Amino acid sequence: MLGATASASAPLAQATPSLWKWRFGLIYGGQALSLMGSALTQFVLLWWITDTTGDMSSLAFAGMVALLPQALLSPLGGTLADRYSRRVLMIAADAVSALCMLVLMLLFVTEQVALWHVYVMMGIRSAMQAFQMPAAEASVAMLVPTSFLPRAAGLNQTLQNLTMVAAAPLGALAISVLPFGWALGIDVVTALLGIVPLLVLRIPQSFARQTGKHAMWGEFVEGVHLVWRIPGLRRLYGLLAAVVLVVMPTFTLVPLLVKTHFGGGAPEVALMEGLEGIGMILGGLLVTALAPQRKVPWVLAGLAASCLAMALTSLMPSGWFQAAVVCWIISGVTFALGNAPLVALLQTSIPNHLQGRALSLLNAVMGLAAPVGLLFGMPLGEWIGVRWMFVLLGLVGAVVALLGFTAKSIQALDDGL
């Protein structure tokens, strides 16, 4: 029953009131460093593809291989997060991702790298995120008191966005002073820094009841049934998938928009993405301070405003890059205003022992929508150009998000139904 919330987590989080803040801070501080390294690497690799090929299809394909494995494996990752140690899953996922970057680093250094090498490593890292993300998200409710969950969601959003602020400029700086291979080595170091706190700190966890090795599929189906039998959750998942399907091509093609429409290079892309991260930080801090009790209106209005600001970004003339950056910052602020309350809404509505599966199902739904959006976005972008694709998809995404206000079952999620 959704009305039960995740109250079972409160005694675990409050068992050592003098320590839970340190434990939460150290674990998610380490994860933030790991995330920064991953974001830096993503920037470096996407710019390398943009600069090497200058091709929309190559960038779009990179986006698909970075998303599809995570989408397909997220249900398994969520089930494992409820069945086995989330801490071990996070350690293993970070370790494999670090190994992938080490291999790719050696290929760059020895000048043997090919485009397909980059695609393969991006795909493996995506698969690891399918195991790491549900474990990390479901661990939050076991690390903090229930009353702190809305602020934890806002703080987590802020930490993620701090990495975005640092990653894009640092990525541009790294490739300006280092060969591509050595720049990728930064990701290896930050992944190890993310692993260290997990090796020494315990994450309290309530496990789903196990009935045998073959019960995993049944456990996943239980998570699907949880979402399906609650109309509000079912429709919210569908709406979020539709928004992602519409706007996902724009996130992958930002470097191409900057290069072809605004005539910029890696520093301009870094400036745009870094300042967007600052905007997300501001939005996350605002959510942390306000801790909104009714979260659904924030989710829907925030996503709609973010899509509209995205459309305005590309509407700016080619000589108005500074104005485009301002619009992109606004898109970041409003996205955070919608995303942080979404996480808190799910964490306070879904019992903790089912959160791994429910959250991974959302990741899977949106993750499958993303490559479909890229698949359809490629011919659209080739036909009308990357600039007008941003405008069209931003407007459509805003309309889809606003349709959520017409669904009473989605609004009822704030009442714990």
Side-chain angles (χ1 to χ4, degrees), residues 140-376:
V140 173
M142 308 306 289
L143 290 168
V144 304
T146 303
S147 61
F148 191 77
L149 278 175
R151 286 185 168 87
L155 181 60
N156 192 43
Q157 180 78 53
T158 301
L159 287 174
Q160 292 182 37
N161 296 331
L162 276 171
T163 67
M164 288 184 60
V165 172
L170 287 176
L173 176 63
I175 60 180
S176 69
V177 300
L178 294 172
F180 274 98
W182 293 109
L184 298 179
I186 298 172
D187 191 23
V188 179
V189 175
T190 56
L192 295 176
L193 292 175
I195 290 173
V196 169
L198 294 171
L199 292 175
V200 297
L201 296 172
R202 188 177 71 90
I203 298 177
Q205 182 172 349
S206 59
F207 291 91
R209 183 175 61 89
Q210 299 185 31
T211 57
K213 293 182 178 179
H214 301 291
M216 290 179 61
W217 175 250
E219 292 174 8
F220 168 65
V221 171
E222 184 183 3
V224 174
H225 285 168
L226 169 73
V227 174
W228 186 258
R229 71 172 179 260
I230 307 299
L233 276 181
R234 184 172 69 242
R235 288 168 184 163
L236 178 63
Y237 274 42
L239 182 140
L240 293 172
V243 172
V244 170
L245 186 148
V246 170
V247 303
M248 186 60 217
T250 61
F251 293 107
T252 303
L253 299 176
V254 167
L256 196 60
L257 176 71
V258 172
K259 183 176 182 178
T260 60
H261 178 58
F262 294 108
E268 285 73 26
V269 177
L271 175 67
M272 196 167 179
E273 294 189 352
L275 291 179
E276 179 198 24
I278 292 177
M280 288 186 177
I281 290 172
L282 295 176
L285 289 174
L286 183 58
V287 172
T288 303
L290 297 178
Q293 296 305 304
R294 298 198 64 83
K295 305 171 186 68
V296 171
W298 284 70
V299 173
L300 300 177
L303 293 179
S306 182
C307 291
L308 286 174
M310 180 193 310
L312 285 175
T313 299
S314 57
L315 274 175
M316 295 298 153
S318 59
W320 289 26
F321 179 68
Q322 292 83 356
V325 171
V326 171
C327 293
W328 201 247
I329 295 171
I330 295 172
S331 180
V333 172
T334 50
F335 175 81
L337 292 179
N339 188 59
L342 170 64
V343 176
L345 175 67
L346 297 177
Q347 288 172 337
T348 55
S349 300
I350 299 171
N352 184 262
H353 72 282
L354 292 171
Q355 283 185 19
R357 280 162 281 179
L359 291 169
S360 68
L361 179 61
L362 178 61
N363 290 336
V365 168
M366 294 196 298
L368 287 172
V372 172
L374 282 167
L375 185 64
F376 285 100

Side-chain angles (χ1 to χ4, degrees), residues 29-39 94 163 187 190-195:
Q31 290 300 299
L33 288 173
S34 178
L35 180 64
M36 182 180 70
S38 297
D94 272 341
T163 67
D187 191 23
T190 56
L192 295 176
L193 292 175
I195 290 173

